């Protein structure tokens, strides 16, 4: 496992990302079609620490588990670049915890 990182240290393609941040905002959830079939709810959160902010994708139960202003920790997340914007995802093997 990687150590705790600051948001300004995250680069596209990072794996095993561990960060602690606060939730600045959460978008309205939208329904997306999954490649495997079926649908899921996804919402975009903006999270920040003292070094910067990044977009975080929240899925299904994660959306209901947190709200604006919460402090969270993410373990084993990963980053990706979409249309030139770096974003953080929790993925199947990651964990989101409310602090």
């Amino acid at each position: 496992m990687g150590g705790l990182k600051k948001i300004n240290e995250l680069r596209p393609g990072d794996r095993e990302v561990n960060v602690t941040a606060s939730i600045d905002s959460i978008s309205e959830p939208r329904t997306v079609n999954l490649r495997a079939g079926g649908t899921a709810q996804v919402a975009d959160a903006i999270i920040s620490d003292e070094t910067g902010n990044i977009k975080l994708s929240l899925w299904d139960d994660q959306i209901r588990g947190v709200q604006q202003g919460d402090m969270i920790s993410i373990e084993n997340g990963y980053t990706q670049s979409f249309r030139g914007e770096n974003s953080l995802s929790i993925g199947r093997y990651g964990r989101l915890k409310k602090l």
Side-chain angles (χ1 to χ4, degrees):
M1 276 289 187
L4 201 59
K5 286 199 164 183
K6 294 296 182 191
I7 287 174
N8 69 347
E9 298 172 328
L10 300 179
R11 302 288 173 259
D14 283 353
R15 294 275 182 261
E16 297 182 0
V17 172
N18 301 312
V19 295
T20 299
S22 66
I23 298 179
D24 295 341
S25 65
I26 302 175
S27 72
E28 280 299 310
R30 61 191 186 279
T31 301
V32 295
N33 293 312
L34 300 175
R35 278 188 216 121
T39 61
Q41 292 280 299
V42 65
D44 297 322
I46 301 298
I47 64 170
S48 66
D49 64 15
E50 65 275 12
T51 69
N53 62 35
I54 193 169
K55 189 166 88 177
L56 170 69
S57 298
L58 298 172
W59 294 85
D60 294 323
D61 293 342
Q62 295 168 348
I63 298 168
R64 294 182 286 280
V66 295
Q67 58 192 358
Q68 187 173 336
D70 284 348
M71 282 297 294
I72 59 166
S73 80
I74 293 164
E75 295 173 20
N76 201 25
Y78 65 93
T79 57
Q80 57 193 8
S81 181
F82 181 68
R83 294 185 184 144
E85 181 185 28
N86 200 19
S87 67
L88 181 59
S89 296
I90 297 159
R92 184 174 306 154
Y93 305 107
R95 288 213 341 240
L96 168 71
K97 274 198 320 217
K98 196 160 117 172
L99 301 179

